[in-house]
Amino acid sequence: MANTMASAKAMRAATQREAKRKRRISYSILFILPAFIFYTAFVIYPTLNSVNLSFTSWDGVSDHVRYIGFDNFKEMLHSERVYNALKNTLLLSVSLVVLENIVALLLAILVDQVRWAKSLFRSVFYFPVLLSGIVMGFVWAIIFNFNFGVISQLLDRIGLSEWKIDWLGDPNYALLAIIITTVWKGSGYYMIIYLAGLQGIPPELNEAAAIDGANRAQRFRHITFPLLAGAMTVSVMLSMIGALKIFDQIAVMTDGGPGFATETLTYIVYKVGFGELRQGYGTALSLVLFVLILAISLIQVKLLRRREVQM
């Protein structure tokens, strides 16, 4: 009798636990459902629809959608404009990843060594990050202006007018102007990541190395730099993705010019899709850009994670 009552009580407890578990799952689904519906409507569905539109010649306006198969992708393979945009995208990405991370690391080391007003220096270096890309582009477009820009006026006043450069009008310098502008704006963001990594390094390690006779360069090479591997992985990955998607600076400063000198894959998607009313072709280009970003990101993470393990 006692065993029967104990078994019945255990079954009731198990039933109650199962009912509670099901209620928790139901509540969880109810909490997740609004966000899932929103994400599906504005991310998943447009993404899947983009794949469909990439096989059409839709102009983005008319109701008529004509399927043309892989013609958009075939056109890309024979387009010098696309290859030029791909070259600019890769050149811009490599330059920005290297320069932004070098400048950010140097700024982080500088701020970390400051003994007074550390918060002030941190805020000053981070301030450009807060600026809108559009605003920042207009400011630097004025600075680089050949006729009345700050650089040109300074050279005129010191008698070096022959050194003036038409930064935004010369195909040889326009991309460099974009790189300088973006490094100035983005380095402060990655500085914060490196600064967090530096402050996470135990000071006892550097003190012990100093006692053993290691100079500052040796301590940085054998202690600081290896222990910043995690921060570097995050910074390099974010800067690469940001560089591959760069748009604001190009739109405001050069509009892809002069000619096609600063046109990137992101910008050519905009120009083709909205300027030339070729949404089908623009969508196909955006899919290629998506695959490129995904492939580079995966390779980058794998290599950087391997470096972290080795260090």
Side-chain angles (χ1 to χ4, degrees):
M1 184 68 178
N3 291 336
T4 304
M5 292 178 64
S7 299
K9 188 180 291 185
M11 290 179 62
R12 283 197 302 271
T15 303
Q16 291 174 355
R17 285 196 300 270
E18 182 65 18
K20 289 181 179 179
R21 188 182 70 84
K22 289 182 178 179
R23 280 199 299 270
R24 284 198 298 269
I25 293 174
S26 300
Y27 293 150
S28 300
I29 292 174
L30 288 175
F31 278 114
I32 294 172
L33 192 60
F36 179 75
I37 293 174
F38 186 86
Y39 188 78
T40 301
F42 292 96
V43 177
I44 296 178
Y45 173 73
T47 301
L48 296 177
N49 193 45
S50 295
V51 177
N52 177 54
L53 290 176
S54 67
F55 296 102
T56 71
S57 60
W58 187 47
D59 59 6
V61 179
S62 65
D63 295 331
H64 177 67
V65 178
R66 184 170 66 89
Y67 286 89
I68 58 175
F70 289 92
D71 287 358
N72 286 329
F73 297 95
K74 291 178 183 177
E75 182 179 345
M76 281 183 229
L77 294 175
H78 300 89
S79 173
E80 292 186 9
R81 184 182 180 186
V82 172
Y83 283 117
N84 177 69
L86 177 61
K87 181 196 72 174
N88 290 338
T89 300
L90 295 177
L91 178 59
L92 197 64
S93 300
V94 173
S95 301
L96 289 178
V97 168
V98 173
L99 293 175
E100 281 184 333
N101 281 275
I102 289 176
V103 173
L105 182 56
L106 292 176
L107 291 177
I109 293 172
L110 176 63
V111 172
D112 191 53
Q113 297 296 321
V114 169
R115 299 301 177 189
W116 55 275
K118 182 176 291 189
S119 297
L120 174 62
F121 283 100
R122 187 185 305 174
S123 300
V124 169
F125 293 142
Y126 187 77
F127 176 74
V129 180
L130 303 177
L131 293 177
S132 163
I134 300 296
V135 173
M136 181 268 298
F138 277 119
V139 170
W140 278 92
I142 294 173
I143 292 174
F144 284 127
N145 188 277
F146 182 76
N147 296 314
F148 56 81
V150 175
I151 298 175
S152 294
Q153 288 190 14
L154 179 62
L155 291 174
D156 286 337
R157 293 192 177 187
I158 61 177
L160 296 175
S161 299
E162 66 276 8
W163 286 19
K164 289 168 59 175
I165 297 173
D166 189 3
W167 288 92
L168 303 180
D170 190 330
N172 297 317
Y173 294 98
L175 198 62
L176 178 59
I178 298 293
I179 292 172
I180 293 172
T181 303
T182 309
V183 170
W184 177 82
K185 182 183 186 329
S187 296
Y189 179 80
Y190 306 110
M191 176 201 71
I192 297 298
I193 298 175
Y194 283 117
L195 188 59
L198 287 171
Q199 293 177 347
I201 298 175
E204 296 82 6
L205 296 176
N206 281 303
E207 292 172 2
I211 292 173
D212 289 337
N215 56 36
R216 182 170 296 182
Q218 290 172 329
R219 294 199 300 272
F220 176 79
R221 178 184 175 185
H222 297 289
I223 297 176
T224 305
F225 188 69
L227 292 177
L228 285 176
M232 184 170 290
T233 298
V234 175
S235 296
V236 169
M237 183 174 174
L238 290 177
S239 61
M240 174 62 76
I241 294 174
L244 289 170
K245 299 190 303 178
I246 187 172
F247 178 83
D248 294 351
Q249 295 89 311
I250 297 174
V252 173
M253 296 176 66
T254 63
D255 194 30
F260 301 116
T262 58
E263 200 170 59
T264 61
L265 286 178
T266 305
Y267 201 69
I268 198 176
V269 168
Y270 161 74
K271 291 283 283 188
V272 168
F274 296 96
E276 302 173 13
L277 294 180
R278 300 182 63 196
Q279 284 284 349
Y281 186 59
T283 305
L285 280 167
S286 67
L287 287 179
V288 172
L289 178 62
F290 169 75
V291 172
L292 178 65
I293 293 175
L294 181 63
I296 291 177
S297 298
L298 291 175
I299 294 171
Q300 196 175 50
V301 169
K302 185 175 181 180
L303 294 176
L304 291 173
R305 290 296 185 190
R306 183 184 302 171
R307 174 178 172 270
E308 288 183 34
V309 172
Q310 290 174 349
M311 288 188 170

